[in-house]
């Protein structure tokens, strides 16, 4: 455990990022599948998985919104030093990090436009644990169905998927574990 | 300058992050072309720079990399791209489809079924399936936004009324998850049905600055009409080398009299069949 | 017996070896040095720097040597190198009114403050092959005069003071950067200018020429053409002020175009703008004409359907590295797609032939 904003980056920048991205890609391509992702560790309470996702994907071009307890100076300093991303409002966030309750209401985040549906926020939702039990998921990346324990009210994710091709994409993190739920996934 | 002066897999980290973000959005919106700020690569635009950038952002040191062009591992451009990653990313390479974790391809999908631990990276010249009907990007973008694909159906139907069949034999357009019409890259339409697969498919168009993707098991339907269903036919022959009757074939002219034979375009598939003892019927000189 | 073609790797290695040999040429002739190219083929250097978007005469010279004088190939080498370079900072806009001018001419005024300076131009040379150069390149020294140290005002400002030329609105907004973001349309003027300054010289010239000949004619005068060195400064946040990090030579062209007024604008002169690395005046003038033509919408002019008015057409086809790559890629094997086409054509012919037979039989 470290707490300085100067620590907690990748020890082997290019290689760590390559492995981390592969984990992120597999997660996004196979919704609901829980995988390991490590390499970075930001100050608490940001998990290793969320730290690594941010360090792999974000830079000065990607505004980040920090919600609730994640909106603290130590995390901001860490992001500033390692990533250089601007801390932003919900409305201009490309990435957002927080507990689901602090990210609500999610309709404040951009969901993309009809011509550019990719211009939407990716929400990194920190959880106590990730479980491959729970809601039944189907859609691209899933052979028939799979299960994942979604946080909060499933209606939130159901209504997000009805907006397709617009919508938000989710990553769920806990410790060194990650899973994802893109807008295409249907939640039963 | 030696290649040591360059970053792992050639691209700088900021560029990789930009490409990686585009890949993730592509996976989240299957079939939608995500704009990305393609970089000049040390090979020309049109020679696989999109696929190379996607591979560069995807490869890890543990990967085993395979490159095919027209189905073959030893075509000159496939050799050139394979060497590039051997040098810049120090990855192991293979010609064996089943042993590869990342396969970069131009114009073919391997005959062997790919598994869920594999990634297929396509080189795409013109990612916009509507481009030949409407040259303006501003217009085609609107059509995708409004899901307005009438123009494409009219074109295909005109083919049928003129020729009795759809006169598109490669880069045959598909519809993804009932939403986006997508260009499968210039693969023969024979390969289209394979696109519903368990591997991740990534598409990179460097010059046109677009990345798109298909997660495993994504619904991919070749456009057709009820009275003219899609027909993934191939040349009605067997491979002269391995005897395969289920593979896509190249036609080879073997003498001045126009004698020709047909051989598998997937060289790895063909070689393995030969090693397993399969043989074809060699034709010699007769105009088939 | 037929076996599939093998040996792509050896063929490539051998081709590269042969290429290196051809590059060197006859070994009895002394090898060309990078310094010689930089000093004696400076206009080629300038084009490579301008279209390669990297101001480095030594690297441009190396690229020209490596590419055997194929300038588009040299530009490609520079672009591919440039894209790997990290960015340490962003410069302040260069101040061309403070340029140390080697050349400065105006076609609109006979004389003007700052004077007309012909500079090192081909303009009034007679294009007769100079066989003395083949024998002996020695030249007498050119006469010298102390350079003008004062600011050289822009010609357009004189018209501006009279209200006769359309005002350009000043903006401190950060311009878009097409080397970092994908080109998006509609493109604003800053983005169009960035694309044009690295555009292929031949393409830009052809587009400009078409506008002179009547495809969206925009009768242009060279209000001013100036070539010279300007300082490049970067702002250092720790210091709180900008420091000069070097000097570059640029060519700037401002055209003055007749404009009879439109639904939205009164009769006045309008401008086109060109700014290019190095002494590259054909390119800078062409750029200014194309810029002016692309401004039809903003100035309330009619869309005449001319190619030079079509931003999407111009911007998507002006980059010679994209164009040459895609053009040359048709040399790559296409036998899979071709095979698919072969089968299709055979089938179409068979269908047509059969239906003819049927008709004949009926």
């Amino acid at each position: 455990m470290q707490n300085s904003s100067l620590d907690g980056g990748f020890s082997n920048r290019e290689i760590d990022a390559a492995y981390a991205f592969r984990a992120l890609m597999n997660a996004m391509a196979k919704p609901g599948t829980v995988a390991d992702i490590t390499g970075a560790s930001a100050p608490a309470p940001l998990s290793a998985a969320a730290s690594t996702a941010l360090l792999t994907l974000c830079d000065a071009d990607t505004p980040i919104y920090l919600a609730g307890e994640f909106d603290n100076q130590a995390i901001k300093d860490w992001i500033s030093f390692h990533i250089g991303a601007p801390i932003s409002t919900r409305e201009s966030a490309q990435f957002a990090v927080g507990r689901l309750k602090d990210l609500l209401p999610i309709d404040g985040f951009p969901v993309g436009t009809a011509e550019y549906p990719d211009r939407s926020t990716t929400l990194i939702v920190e959880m106590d644990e990730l479980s491959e039990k729970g809601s039944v998921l189907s859609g691209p990346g899933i052979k028939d169905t799979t299960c994942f324990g979604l946080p909060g009210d499933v209606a939130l994710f159901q209504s997000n998927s009805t907006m397709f091709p617009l919508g938000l994409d989710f990553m769920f993190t806990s410790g060194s574990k990650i899973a994802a739920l893109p807008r295409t996934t249907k939640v039963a | 300058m030696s290649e040591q002066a360059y970053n792992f897999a050639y691209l700088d980290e900021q560029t990789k992050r930009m490409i990686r973000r585009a890949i993730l959005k592509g996976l989240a919106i299957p079939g939608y072309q995500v704009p990305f700020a393609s970089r000049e690569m040390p090979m020309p635009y049109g020679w696989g720079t999109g696929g190379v950038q996607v591979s560069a952002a995807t490869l890890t040191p543990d990967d085993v990399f395979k490159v095919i062009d027209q189905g073959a591992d030893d075509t000159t451009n496939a050799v050139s791209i394979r060497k590039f990653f051997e040098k810049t990313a120090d990855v192991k390479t293979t010609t064996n489809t089943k042993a590869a974790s990342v396969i970069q391809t131009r114009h073919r999908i391997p005959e062997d079924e790919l598994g869920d631990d594999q990634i297929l990276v396509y080189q795409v010249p013109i990612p916009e399936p509507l481009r030949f009907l409407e040259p303006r990007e501003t217009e085609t973008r609107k059509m995708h936004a409004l899901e307005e694909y009438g123009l494409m159906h009219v074109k295909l139907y005109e083919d049928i009324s003129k020729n009795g069949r759809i006169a598109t034999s490669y880069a045959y357009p598909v519809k993804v998850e009932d939403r986006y019409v997508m260009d499968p890259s210039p693969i023969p339409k024979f390969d289209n049905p394979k696109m519903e697969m368990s591997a991740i498919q990534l598409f990179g168009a460097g010059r046109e600055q677009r990345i798109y993707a298909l997660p495993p098991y994504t619904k991919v339907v070749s456009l057709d009409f009820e009275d003219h269903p899609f027909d993934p036919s191939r040349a009605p022959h067997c491979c002269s080398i391995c005897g395969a009757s289920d593979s896509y074939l190249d036609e080879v002219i073997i003498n001045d009299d126009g004698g020709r034979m047909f051989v598998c375009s997937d060289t790895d598939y063909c070689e393995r069949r030969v090693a397993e003892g399969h043989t074809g019927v060699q034709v010699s000189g007769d105009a088939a | 017996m037929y076996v599939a073609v093998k040996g792509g790797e050896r063929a490539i290695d051998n081709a590269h070896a042969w290429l290196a040999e051809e590059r060197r040429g006859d070994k009895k002739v002394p090898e060309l040095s990078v310094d010689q190219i930089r000093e004696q083929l400076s206009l080629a250097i300038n084009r490579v720097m301008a279209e390669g978007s990297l101001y480095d005469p030594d690297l441009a010279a190396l690229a020209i040597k490596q590419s055997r004088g194929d300038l588009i190939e040299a530009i490609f080498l520079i672009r591919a190198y440039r894209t790997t370079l990290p960015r340490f900072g962003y410069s302040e806009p260069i101040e061309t009114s403070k340029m140390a001018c080697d050349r400065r001419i105006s076609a609109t005024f006979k004389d003007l403050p700052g004077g007309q300076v012909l500079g090192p131009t081909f303009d009034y040379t007679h294009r007769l092959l100079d066989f003395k150069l083949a024998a002996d390149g020695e030249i007498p020294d050119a006469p010298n005069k102390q350079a003008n140290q004062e600011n050289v005002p822009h010609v357009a400002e004189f018209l501006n003071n009279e209200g006769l030329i359309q005002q350009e609105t000043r903006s401190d907004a950060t311009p878009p950067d097409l080397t970092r973001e994908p080109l998006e349309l509609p493109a604003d003027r800053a983005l169009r200018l960035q694309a044009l300054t690295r555009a292929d010289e031949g393409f830009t010239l052809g587009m400009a020429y078409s506008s002179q000949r009547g495809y969206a004619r925009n009768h242009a005068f060279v209000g001013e053409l100036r070539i010279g060195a300007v300082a490049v400064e970067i702002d250092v946040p720790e210091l709180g002020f900008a420091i000069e990090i070097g000097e570059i030579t640029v060519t700037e062209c401002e055209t003055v175009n007749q404009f009879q007024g439109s639904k939205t604008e009164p009769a006045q002169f309008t401008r086109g703008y060109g700014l290019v690395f190095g002494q590259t005046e054909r390119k800078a003038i062409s750029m200014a004409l194309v810029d002016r033509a692309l401004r039809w919408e903003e100035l309330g002019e009619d869309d005449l359907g001319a190619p030079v008015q079509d931003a999407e057409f111009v911007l998507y086809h002006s980059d010679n590295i994209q164009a040459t790559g895609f053009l040359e890629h048709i040399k790559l094997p296409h036998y899979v797609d071709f095979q698919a086409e072969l089968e299709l054509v055979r089938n179409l012919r068979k269908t047509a032939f059969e239906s003819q037979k049927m008709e004949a039989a009926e």
Side-chain angles (χ1 to χ4, degrees), chain B residues 71-242:
Chain B
D73 296 274
D74 60 349
T75 35
T76 42
N77 204 43
V79 170
S80 164
I81 290 171
R82 191 163 59 234
K83 278 178 112 174
F84 176 73
F85 282 109
E86 280 171 0
K87 257 193 246 172
T88 60
D90 201 23
V91 287
K92 285 197 278 298
T93 57
T94 184
T95 57
N96 181 348
T97 300
K98 293 182 174 188
S101 56
V102 179
I103 302 172
Q104 181 168 327
T105 179
R106 178 169 171 264
H107 297 192
R108 276 308 312 275
I109 296 175
E111 305 294 357
D112 285 313
E113 197 178 320
L114 300 183
D116 61 6
D117 51 353
Q118 291 182 300
I119 297 166
L120 184 59
V121 177
Y122 295 75
Q123 300 171 203
V124 184
I126 306 264
E128 178 48 71
L130 305 168
R131 185 63 68 235
F132 299 103
L133 307 170
E134 169 54 64
R136 284 179 188 278
E137 165 66 16
T138 36
E139 291 300 316
T140 53
R141 187 160 286 279
K142 262 184 235 150
M143 292 176 181
H144 285 294
L146 301 170
E147 209 176 341
E148 178 49 67
Y149 296 127
L151 203 58
M152 180 64 91
H153 286 100
V154 169
K155 191 261 168 198
L156 296 177
Y157 212 84
E158 274 174 3
D159 275 4
I160 293 172
S161 55
K162 211 165 96 192
N163 307 310
R165 69 182 73 219
I166 291 172
T168 298
S169 57
Y170 65 94
Y172 190 105
V174 296
K175 196 161 198 183
V176 177
E177 286 290 321
D178 301 315
R179 179 57 180 81
Y180 285 104
V181 168
M182 186 190 96
D183 175 56
S185 89
I187 56 172
K189 64 179 179 172
F190 171 78
D191 283 340
N192 274 26
K194 298 181 197 165
M195 298 186 90
E196 290 190 346
M197 63 165 75
S198 45
I200 296 173
Q201 297 171 80
L202 305 174
F203 299 78
R207 191 180 38 80
E208 297 281 339
Q209 308 191 308
R210 297 290 184 271
I211 283 172
Y212 51 107
L214 297 172
Y217 318 112
T218 298
K219 184 176 173 193
V220 180
V221 178
S222 302
L223 297 183
D224 64 357
F225 299 93
E226 252 172 44
D227 49 345
H228 282 90
F230 174 72
D231 166 27
S233 63
R234 58 191 266 288
H237 305 277
C238 292
C239 173
S240 296
I241 296 174
C242 76

Side-chain angles (χ1 to χ4, degrees), chain C residues 28-82:
Chain C
K28 286 188 287 235
V29 177
E31 189 181 353
L32 197 53
S33 75
V34 168
D35 291 347
Q36 286 170 331
I37 296 170
R38 186 193 61 228
E39 294 303 315
Q40 297 175 38
L41 296 176
S42 54
L43 298 189
I45 300 283
N46 289 342
R47 182 174 173 196
V48 170
M49 294 196 303
E51 294 172 34
S53 298
L54 183 71
Y55 196 95
D56 189 323
D58 292 303
L59 286 180
L62 174 61
I64 290 169
K65 178 171 178 172
Q66 187 179 334
S67 65
R68 306 172 66 194
D70 179 336
L71 294 190
I72 291 184
E73 187 66 30
I75 290 160
F76 183 15
L77 289 168
I78 291 298
R79 289 266 194 100
Y81 177 74
R82 173 195 191 280

